């Protein structure tokens, strides 16, 4: 059976650049998300192999996500948040305004939304600081000490009022 030769692409590809910058480098937002994946994975003492196993991926795929070479889709981001035990918002924490301006829509020249988005209060339970505080609290083995720490935190919070 004869194979038809593949037609070579002679014109530059139009349309989606798959979120890359005009120079072809990974989008800085994808790199940021990947660095947050790496940060959380290392904080948990988890290897790329273990994370890959938990997600049904190879460690090479995890490496590509962590470098920003591969973009993380919504469903994969959801799985990552569950495996790494953080809210999805964790992956976007600490993004500065310059980085936010590198979104694919803004790079493509699209302007801001016509209507400003509704203002949402940040959920303090979704913050990394809260998560770390709760984990530290529950690592206190002695229930009496844990109760005293709880009472101290309540007293300090009430003293600000």
């Amino acid at each position: 059976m004869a194979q038809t030769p593949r037609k070579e692409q002679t014109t530059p590809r139009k349309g989606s650049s798959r979120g890359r910058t005009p120079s072809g480098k990974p989008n800085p937002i994808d790199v940021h998300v990947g660095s947050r994946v790496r940060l959380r994975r290392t904080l948990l003492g988890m290897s790329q192999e273990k994370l890959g196993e938990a997600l049904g991926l190879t460690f090479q795929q995890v490496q590509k996500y962590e470098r920003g070479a591969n973009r993380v889709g919504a469903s994969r981001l959801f799985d990552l948040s569950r495996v790494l035990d953080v809210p999805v918002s964790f992956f976007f924490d600490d993004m500065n305004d310059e980085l936010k301006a590198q979104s694919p829509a803004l790079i493509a020249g699209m302007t801001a939304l016509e209507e400003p988005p509704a203002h949402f209060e940040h959920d303090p339970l979704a913050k990394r600081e809260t998560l770390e505080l709760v984990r530290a609290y529950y690592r206190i083995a002695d229930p009496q000490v844990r109760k005293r720490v709880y009472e101290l935190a309540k007293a300090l919070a009430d003293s600000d009022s």
Side-chain angles (χ1 to χ4, degrees):
M1 202 180 245
Q3 283 188 328
T4 355
R6 290 178 72 177
K7 193 175 184 181
E8 286 190 33
Q9 192 172 354
T10 55
T11 57
R13 187 174 167 189
K14 292 184 180 179
S16 170
S17 61
R18 301 226 178 248
R20 292 189 172 265
T21 62
S23 67
K25 292 183 180 177
N27 184 283
I29 294 175
D30 295 329
V31 174
H32 177 81
V33 169
S35 72
R36 300 292 290 178
V37 170
R38 183 183 310 108
L39 170 69
R40 183 63 183 161
R41 177 183 60 76
T42 55
L43 283 173
L44 293 174
M46 183 183 289
S47 69
Q48 289 176 330
E49 292 87 355
K50 288 288 182 195
L51 179 57
E53 285 174 21
L55 296 169
L57 302 171
T58 64
F59 80 92
Q60 292 96 333
Q61 288 171 298
V62 172
Q63 282 178 335
K64 288 181 177 184
Y65 283 137
E66 289 184 355
R67 286 193 328 259
N70 282 2
R71 302 187 83 194
V72 180
S75 57
R76 182 76 68 213
L77 195 62
F78 179 76
D79 288 344
L80 280 163
S81 75
R82 292 181 67 197
V83 170
L84 297 174
D85 196 25
V86 291
V88 171
S89 62
F90 169 82
F91 301 108
F92 301 97
D93 285 350
D94 301 332
M95 274 185 25
N96 61 35
D97 290 337
E98 186 178 321
L99 187 60
K100 291 175 186 175
Q102 296 296 311
S103 78
L106 293 175
I107 288 174
M110 298 173 73
T111 57
L113 300 171
E114 288 183 25
E115 289 182 30
H119 177 70
F120 293 101
E121 295 291 324
H122 289 288
D123 181 4
L125 296 178
K127 288 186 176 181
R128 182 178 68 239
E129 178 184 20
T130 307
L131 188 62
E132 291 171 2
L133 179 63
V134 170
R135 284 206 176 101
Y137 173 80
Y138 280 110
R139 281 196 309 265
I140 300 171
D142 186 333
Q144 299 254 337
V145 173
R146 194 169 48 239
K147 183 177 181 183
R148 284 191 223 125
V149 168
Y150 170 74
E151 289 169 355
L152 172 65
K154 278 179 48 177
L156 289 170
D158 290 344
S159 70
D160 288 344
S161 307

